[in-house]
Amino acid sequence: MLAAAFAATTAVLPAHAVPDPAKPGPDKPGTPSSAASHSLRAPVTDENFYFVMADRFSNGDTSNDLGGLPADPMVSGFDPTKKGFYNGGDLAGLLDKIDYIQGLGTTSIWLTPSFKNKAVQTEDKSAGYHGYWVTDFTQIDPHLGANAELQALIDEAHARGMKVYFDIITNHTADVIGYEKSDGGGARQPYKSKDSDPYKTAAGVEFDDRDFAGLDSFPELDPTTSFPYEPVLQPGEENLKVPGWLNDKELYHNRGDTTFVGEDSYYGDFFGLDDLFTEHPTVVEGMEDIYETWIGDFGVDGFRIDTMKHVNNEFWQEFGPDVLNYAHEQGKDEFFMFGEVFDTTKSFTSQFTTRNEMQAVLDFPFQDAARNFASKGQDTRSLETFFATDDWYTDADSNVYQLPTFLGNHDMGRIGSFIAADNPGATDTEQVARDQLAHELMYFSRGNPVIYYGDEQGFTGPGGDQDARQTLFASQVPEYLDDDLLGTDATHATDNFDAAHPLYAKISQLAALTKEHPALRDGAHQHRFASEGPGIYAFSRTDAEDQREYVVALNNSEQPQTAEVPTYTGKRSYTKIYGDGAAEVKTSAAGKLTVTVPPLSAVVYQASGRIPHSKAAPAVALREPAAAPADNGRINVTADVGGTSFYEVTFEAKTAGGGWEPIGTDDTAPYQVFHDVAALDAGTALEYRATVLDNGGHTATSQSRAAAVPAPILTLQKPAEGSGVKSPVELSATADPEKASHVVSFERSVAGGAWTAVGSDDSSPVYSVMDELAALGLADGTKVQYRATMTGPGFTVASETRTVFVGEAPQPDSVAVAGDLNLAMGCDEGDLDCPQALMILDPADKIWRLTVDLPAGQYRYKAALNGDPDANFGAGGVFQGADIVLDHPGGAVTFRYDNSTHILSAVYASQQPGAVAIAGSLNTELGCPEDWAPACSQAQLTLDPATMVWKLAVEKLPAGTYKFKAALNRGWDENYGADGVANGGDITYMHDGGPVTFRYDHFTHLLTAG
């Protein structure tokens, strides 16, 4: 077998801990510290959010449906029969239905962006109902109402003890700017990198903007010469944006459309949306002024911030503290901001609350873990592992208890949709039970729960984005009318404000229970028990002051389960306050609480009294501090604590000559922090110590431990290992941690020869050069190796080596899908030559494919080449990388392996569109009545179930030059052009005449002809 499945276990409460005399620190053991403190609870750790898209909630005022514009939907944006247009909801509707919202136990209403939008962007063939195409940041979108109506909503919410949060945008506006090209075409253009086209001052001098980010000065720019593309405005739109500074074309990145990876994820336009120059101080100050005005003039209580990970760190390090300070000056002590960081890796998402000084981020990792547990019924130990890594968020002024948690949203889709997809054929009763289980996990575990509007009515939908934005009022959208709602016979043809719906009732019950028992909202969250496989996951919640333990046990299996759950206290009575089970249970002498939990449900027990006070502080000892494997800019500091009671551990750090500074307090085992040292030079000497506070007020301090800031790690991003290359070869690398002062050099070795310099780059965050390999005159197949190097204060480092081949990379002799699914395929364990696991190379697109039927379950696997277990590629196409994980619903699955990227993926028929057409200037040649006809029958491709490739064979196509795109589902709402880009440029095909086969791969969105 290849690499075994990853397994992690967590020591919950170490029985004994003593200092290690073999590694003495500078301080004597037991040197007292005054740092002992309780784990932080910021003002917002107990909110119940209701996340609502005003246009899709309730139409309280039909007079604003057109937004004051002409009735043509392509002008006004209003068409209640189309999911991509304004449907009629507004602020008046929210105010009318505020009783309904409050009845859920809501304490905060979170509105999607509500500023004035560009009503229609014709290139997108849809409207700005969602709020993300802003033109005027100072007024409410006329389709939703007026500023006075917002004020009325805020005032009424405040009168009821509720808050109102805005969803805000800081890094882009509507698509107003176009780009001039030498050939005279195109408003939207492909991205141009900083290395190929660096920024230039107005005087023509090249510079890197990152050298000025966070400073008060910035080079003077000229829109005609400073950017890769010259930005232009259409007549009549020169002053469209408000405030006026937004009309300055120099305050945008002007580099073309992003691909959402690498450098362009920070600098590129999101599908044409004008991307602001957030490194520029004018933009930082302007955005602060905009949002401080909404706080000061309207009393907005907080912000959710869009696309936070696509903005440079320096922006957040200034914007966050400045806006928060302003809110505090206005008397808003509980003002709260959280960002959207669409990623499930805590080591990354937590950087925005630690390194970037923001208060919180949306907990995308929780959403993934909750779905896996409640909807997919995965091994409960995955939750144990998940919660054990919460300490990534712990620092001196924030922690995981502040994070808003959620189960689905307007982008990814609804929890009801996930449950339906993960459990095909399940009864409505089971689906509702899984939905309720997901909400129980969200309400009883740490964080601030978020309800996405409509989830309380069992809304589903086939996917994300527009398919997850149904109206709560009666809909006229045909696609919505087909949805099968959970827990009801109702459809979207009628209003859905049913307070008796089982999910509405459940959410209301959970909110009421956690209000009555606040420890269930912000008490310490301590792991207690995880079964092997599906079954019981249990944890306790304990308020540091009240010291009364609550035990929460959830069962994600379809049978009753019993578990012995550890607690803090032996021979103590626990009373059931939630769920079905014994009314009262007593712990054993060893503190074990035996609980039985019905299928797909939860129980909660409350201890009859406080946890007994400790008689003395326990022993505490630090482990050796070490660089965190997932973030080289942080050091993992862990403390072992003796005893089995409730403890809180405060960690401190100091540099040579400095004083001790707190870096975070942890109230759950394992006790640890991930100290951010990215701003320090490599080799900087550090000391750490930990102080434990027990529940009797006693403290003990560990001996200190010495550590040093690690050297940065260089990682080559391009070219891909084993790929074929043609001159010029793009070389790129990233550094962890990233610093604007880094200079990265690249070297080449040909056929095992000496390393020679290729070039260097100092423009962050991605360093790249082009290697003019053609000048060497190398024969196809020649082996070339590359590496990146960097030298700085206290370090010299090199990346791993990448091996590539001149010309097209040779295909392997065989590729096998190798892993724990091989037995289900009928193969012997470890047999990489098993026919059932071998993939077949498609010569048309050079993709290896294999379609197999597998039982439902979770599988781990890799791509193994040439029958060699060591020649394997794992997740992300990484050589000998981590296992790829597949949650398989059962049935047919198609695996595809691309040898140019080494990425092995799983594709399903259920992921395919309903139809694919080649729509373009050749349609009349195919027998259609007109060209560019996506609904024409003769233009439709057919899905090959063996390969998941759509094909259309044309026996005789006249010679000529044709332009076309792939149009999905017989319309233009979803289409892909050149290079598989959504709404991209036309594909151009020169044909000599005769037969041709068109192929569309929905995995890459590439439409090809040959």
Side-chain angles (χ1 to χ4, degrees):
M1 284 289 290
L2 297 172
F6 171 77
T9 59
T10 302
V12 177
L13 295 171
H16 185 63
V18 294
D20 182 357
K23 296 181 179 179
D27 289 344
K28 296 178 181 180
T31 300
S33 167
S34 60
S37 62
H38 292 300
S39 173
L40 176 71
R41 291 300 181 271
V44 178
T45 57
D46 57 357
E47 295 291 343
N48 297 325
F49 287 96
Y50 188 73
F51 175 37
V52 58
M53 184 171 285
D55 179 65
R56 302 302 167 94
F57 184 74
S58 178
N59 192 344
D61 181 3
T62 57
S63 68
N64 61 29
D65 287 353
L66 299 177
L69 299 170
D72 182 353
M74 290 304 293
V75 178
S76 71
F78 176 70
D79 188 343
T81 68
K82 292 184 178 178
K83 60 185 180 180
F85 284 73
Y86 288 96
N87 279 195
D90 48 36
L91 296 177
L94 281 166
L95 187 57
D96 287 346
K97 298 288 187 183
I98 198 167
D99 285 341
Y100 170 87
I101 296 174
Q102 191 171 27
L104 280 165
T106 302
T107 61
S108 293
I109 301 170
W110 158 19
L111 299 171
T112 52
S114 302
F115 305 125
K116 183 177 180 180
N117 267 234
K118 196 170 188 180
V120 177
Q121 291 188 171
T122 54
E123 287 199 44
D124 298 296
K125 300 179 176 64
S126 64
Y129 70 94
H130 41 68
Y132 293 96
W133 299 345
V134 182
T135 57
D136 187 343
F137 286 83
T138 68
Q139 70 164 304
I140 293 299
D141 193 308
H143 295 84
L144 306 180
N147 287 14
E149 288 174 281
L150 172 70
Q151 189 68 71
L153 175 64
I154 292 174
D155 290 346
E156 180 61 25
H158 287 176
R160 292 166 175 255
M162 297 163 59
K163 301 173 183 177
V164 175
Y165 281 68
F166 262 20
D167 199 319
I168 67 169
I169 301 157
T170 62
N171 68 325
H172 68 257
T173 69
D175 182 7
V176 179
I177 293 175
Y179 297 131
E180 283 290 348
K181 290 178 59 181
S182 58
D183 62 6
R188 297 183 181 181
Q189 300 295 343
Y191 185 81
K192 289 187 177 181
S193 73
K194 293 202 301 179
D195 293 300
S196 64
D197 292 89
Y199 287 117
K200 298 177 182 178
T201 67
V205 179
E206 295 181 358
F207 73 98
D208 184 5
D209 59 289
R210 290 294 175 106
D211 293 336
F212 298 89
L215 303 181
D216 293 331
S217 62
F218 203 83
E220 183 179 350
L221 303 174
D222 183 337
T224 64
T225 59
S226 292
F227 302 95
Y229 294 108
E230 180 182 346
V232 295
L233 295 169
Q234 295 299 315
E237 292 190 338
E238 296 90 345
N239 297 297
L240 179 65
K241 298 177 185 178
V242 181
W245 64 266
L246 289 163
N247 296 299
D248 186 344
K249 295 175 291 185
E250 298 172 10
L251 297 179
Y252 297 84
H253 282 135
N254 299 321
R255 290 198 163 274
D257 276 0
T258 182
T259 65
F260 301 98
V261 294
E263 173 191 298
D264 67 59
S265 71
Y266 294 95
Y267 291 87
D269 298 336
F270 283 37
F271 305 108
L273 298 176
D274 302 345
D275 202 66
L276 281 158
F277 215 142
T278 50
E279 294 80 6
H280 200 298
T282 300
V283 174
V284 181
E285 294 165 8
M287 281 297 163
E288 288 180 1
D289 289 343
I290 287 171
Y291 293 117
E292 287 173 359
T293 299
W294 285 100
I295 298 168
D297 292 356
F298 290 85
V300 174
D301 298 292
F303 297 141
R304 176 270 194 186
I305 305 171
D306 188 50
T307 58
M308 182 176 276
K309 74 176 184 178
H310 297 293
V311 180
N312 57 295
N313 292 348
E314 296 85 358
F315 179 91
W316 301 124
Q317 290 162 2
E318 185 171 347
F319 178 90
D322 286 356
V323 172
L324 185 61
N325 288 337
Y326 177 83
H328 289 169
E329 291 170 359
Q330 308 308 304
K332 288 195 164 293
D333 295 334
E334 293 191 1
F335 192 85
F336 184 58
M337 291 180 286
F338 56 96
E340 177 207 27
V341 183
F342 199 158
D343 195 284
T344 60
T345 309
K346 290 182 183 179
S347 58
F348 176 69
T349 58
S350 62
Q351 291 179 12
F352 294 86
T353 65
T354 54
R355 187 171 303 164
N356 290 347
E357 302 182 42
M358 297 301 294
Q359 289 168 285
V361 291
L362 271 170
D363 199 347
F364 279 90
F366 174 85
Q367 188 279 332
D368 183 59
R371 177 182 179 181
N372 289 339
F373 174 78
S375 181
K376 297 181 179 179
Q378 289 186 4
D379 192 321
T380 68
R381 290 173 297 182
S382 63
L383 275 186
E384 175 186 0
T385 301
F386 169 79
F387 286 117
T389 56
D390 278 349
D391 295 315
W392 278 105
Y393 296 98
T394 301
D395 66 1
D397 62 3
S398 62
N399 57 33
V400 75
Y401 295 98
Q402 298 168 228
L403 303 192
T405 53
F406 69 104
L407 301 172
N409 66 19
H410 61 317
D411 290 328
M412 62 167 45
R414 298 181 177 276
I415 182 61
S417 174
F418 301 144
I419 289 170
D422 296 337
N423 301 276
T427 65
D428 182 68
T429 299
E430 179 187 337
Q431 291 179 334
V432 170
R434 291 187 180 278
D435 201 313
Q436 292 176 333
L437 180 64
H439 282 90
E440 288 165 338
L441 176 63
M442 180 169 69
Y443 270 83
F444 293 144
S445 61
R446 86 295 183 275
N448 297 285
V450 178
I451 300 300
Y452 179 43
Y453 86 97
D455 283 359
E456 76 277 8
Q457 297 295 329
F459 284 12
T460 56
D465 200 76
Q466 295 177 8
D467 288 331
R469 300 174 181 178
Q470 302 89 337
T471 56
L472 273 170
F473 60 97
S475 178
Q476 302 175 48
V477 176
E479 294 93 332
Y480 294 160
L481 299 179
D482 287 340
D483 288 354
D484 186 12
L485 282 63
L486 305 185
T488 180
D489 292 329
T491 70
H492 288 295
T494 60
D495 289 357
N496 284 283
F497 296 97
D498 181 12
H501 189 286
L503 289 171
Y504 185 102
K506 176 59 67 176
I507 293 167
S508 300
Q509 178 190 12
L510 294 171
L513 183 70
T514 54
K515 181 179 182 181
E516 181 182 356
H517 301 275
L520 292 172
R521 286 272 23 89
D522 60 8
H525 178 127
Q526 177 64 62
H527 164 76
R528 289 301 187 186
F529 178 87
S531 64
E532 187 174 339
I536 290 178
Y537 176 73
F539 54 91
S540 62
R541 304 299 304 272
T542 307
D543 181 81
E545 181 177 347
D546 182 59
Q547 288 287 302
R548 188 185 300 269
E549 183 176 17
Y550 292 80
V551 172
V552 179
L554 307 104
N555 179 10
N556 73 340
S557 76
E558 297 179 38
Q559 297 81 33
Q561 298 286 338
T562 299
E564 292 184 346
V565 180
T567 69
Y568 286 120
T569 313
K571 296 184 178 180
R572 176 63 59 85
S573 293
Y574 281 73
T575 302
K576 178 175 65 65
I577 62 171
Y578 179 83
D580 295 328
E584 188 168 305
V585 186
K586 193 171 186 178
T587 58
S588 68
K592 296 292 185 68
L593 185 73
T594 301
V595 296
T596 298
V597 188
L600 302 177
S601 62
V603 296
V604 181
Y605 285 89
Q606 178 190 22
S608 60
R610 294 172 58 94
I611 302 168
H613 282 172
S614 298
K615 303 299 183 183
V620 56
L622 284 184
R623 299 181 189 175
E624 190 75 20
D631 182 352
N632 193 56
R634 289 198 256 187
I635 293 180
N636 180 207
V637 188
T638 300
D640 290 328
V641 178
T644 58
S645 191
F646 179 85
Y647 305 122
E648 298 174 273
V649 178
T650 297
F651 294 87
E652 297 173 283
K654 71 174 182 178
T655 56
W660 288 106
E661 297 288 343
I663 56 175
T665 299
D666 189 11
D667 58 5
T668 59
Y671 301 100
Q672 60 181 341
V673 293
F674 294 87
H675 183 212
D676 196 316
V677 296
L680 301 176
D681 288 337
T684 299
L686 296 165
E687 288 180 47
Y688 293 102
R689 70 180 181 184
T691 298
V692 60
L693 171 67
D694 71 8
N695 66 346
H698 312 104
T699 65
T701 300
S702 73
Q703 70 177 50
S704 66
R705 287 275 200 177
V709 175
I713 293 176
L714 278 180
T715 302
L716 274 180
Q717 303 296 334
K718 295 179 181 178
E721 174 68 24
S723 61
V725 296
K726 296 180 180 179
S727 185
V729 182
E730 182 180 2
L731 312 179
S732 68
T734 55
D736 179 18
E738 169 55 40
K739 291 186 179 180
S741 58
H742 287 334
V743 179
V744 176
S745 299
F746 295 86
E747 298 176 336
R748 174 209 320 122
S749 168
V750 177
W755 289 100
T756 57
V758 176
S760 63
D761 184 29
D762 63 358
S763 63
S764 60
V766 177
Y767 305 90
S768 59
V769 300
M770 305 299 289
D771 184 14
E772 299 294 340
L773 205 58
L776 302 181
L778 301 177
D780 283 356
T782 301
K783 183 176 76 172
V784 179
Q785 292 179 302
Y786 291 104
R787 69 183 182 189
T789 63
M790 181 169 64
T791 298
F795 70 88
T796 296
V797 295
S799 72
E800 79 284 14
T801 299
R802 289 280 174 90
T803 300
V804 297
F805 299 89
V806 176
E808 186 173 313
Q811 293 288 343
D813 295 329
S814 68
V815 179
V817 181
D820 59 11
L821 41 55
N822 292 144
L823 292 177
M825 292 178 175
C827 301
D828 293 333
E829 184 174 329
D831 182 5
L832 300 183
D833 294 320
C834 174
Q836 294 94 313
L838 291 176
M839 308 182 79
I840 298 173
L841 178 65
D842 186 335
D845 60 6
K846 298 181 175 60
I847 299 296
W848 296 75
R849 293 183 174 87
L850 172 68
T851 297
V852 294
D853 264 288
L854 292 173
Q858 185 180 85
Y859 299 99
R860 294 175 180 268
Y861 57 94
K862 295 184 180 183
L865 276 54
N866 301 324
D868 182 357
D870 293 328
N872 68 78
F873 294 89
V878 176
F879 180 66
Q880 296 183 346
D883 295 337
I884 305 165
V885 180
L886 174 67
D887 294 310
H888 180 56
V893 57
T894 297
F895 295 98
R896 67 185 308 281
Y897 171 77
D898 185 340
N899 195 54
S900 67
T901 63
H902 303 300
I903 291 178
L904 175 62
S905 308
V907 182
Y908 292 92
S910 60
Q911 298 169 333
Q912 301 298 312
V916 177
I918 178 168
S921 62
L922 74 175
N923 288 152
T924 53
E925 305 290 351
L926 300 179
C928 300
E930 59 183 358
D931 284 335
W932 300 97
C936 172
S937 298
Q938 292 93 321
Q940 304 301 314
L941 284 69
T942 301
L943 179 64
D944 181 350
T947 63
M948 290 293 117
V949 175
W950 296 76
K951 301 174 183 178
L952 173 64
V954 180
E955 292 185 3
K956 188 175 182 181
L957 182 68
T961 299
Y962 298 97
K963 293 181 179 292
F964 50 82
K965 293 185 180 183
L968 276 55
N969 302 318
R970 298 180 180 270
W972 287 109
D973 285 348
E974 185 176 1
N975 69 83
Y976 298 93
D979 300 319
V981 175
N983 300 312
D986 296 338
I987 302 165
T988 301
Y989 174 56
M990 298 179 65
H991 185 54
D992 294 334
V996 61
T997 297
F998 297 100
R999 298 163 53 96
Y1000 171 78
D1001 188 338
H1002 192 56
F1003 184 84
T1004 59
H1005 304 303
L1006 291 174
L1007 175 61
T1008 58

